[in-house]
Amino acid sequence: MDSYGSDEELLYLMRCGYEEAETILYKRYYRLIYYWIHPIVSTHNDLDYNDYVQVAMMYLSNIFDSYRDDCQTSLRHFTKQAIVKKMVSSLRRTYAKQMNENNPSLNNWIDDEKS
């Protein structure tokens, strides 16, 4: 199976139901994702780095499903852009949620006895 060097060819075989091609493709992209998200998540200490990698891997099947050969871009570039965008938006949502929890709204009543 290692003779299939192209990611696009492996994706085609994966879509045809060849499980070994799927395994090889996921292993390849696991290593790549590990390096792609490092600059993004290295400043966030709220989760373990491997948790971020697993979250990115969950997005991978949807990204593979949405890739089209006629887009004039490689699978690797398409996947990198999609993973980076997903991770950045996920981190922004997490950060916004934390900020809302830590800062009370001015519209809410704050009881002096509880403070």
Side-chain angles (χ1 to χ4, degrees):
M1 189 67 202
D2 289 331
S3 63
Y4 300 107
S6 169
D7 292 345
E8 287 79 6
E9 188 174 356
L10 286 170
L11 182 63
Y12 173 76
L13 291 171
M14 185 181 94
R15 287 177 176 170
C16 290
Y18 199 63
E19 291 180 17
E20 193 173 347
E22 182 177 4
T23 303
I24 290 171
L25 199 58
Y26 274 89
K27 284 182 182 179
R28 264 189 205 175
Y29 278 89
Y30 181 82
R31 284 187 238 123
L32 290 171
I33 285 171
Y34 201 83
Y35 294 110
W36 289 340
I37 68 169
H38 180 71
I40 300 167
V41 300
S42 63
T43 59
H44 299 279
N45 295 328
D46 57 340
L47 288 176
D48 185 31
Y49 185 72
N50 288 325
D51 292 336
Y52 287 113
V53 173
Q54 291 303 316
V55 169
M57 288 298 291
M58 288 189 293
Y59 294 133
L60 201 56
S61 65
N62 290 338
I63 292 168
F64 285 162
D65 288 340
S66 62
Y67 176 75
R68 293 185 2 222
D69 292 335
D70 61 348
C71 291
Q72 298 178 345
T73 186
S74 68
L75 177 61
R76 184 171 295 198
H77 180 75
F78 179 80
T79 305
K80 180 181 180 182
Q81 294 300 316
I83 290 290
V84 167
K85 285 179 185 178
K86 292 274 190 184
M87 293 306 294
V88 167
S89 66
S90 176
L91 288 171
R92 282 184 183 160
R93 277 193 309 270
T94 303
Y95 182 70
K97 190 177 196 181
Q98 289 174 352
M99 291 302 292
N100 287 336
E101 290 174 359
N102 294 338
N103 298 328
S105 172
L106 296 177
N107 294 330
N108 295 337
W109 177 262
I110 299 176
D111 191 8
D112 290 335
E113 294 174 9
K114 291 183 181 178
S115 301

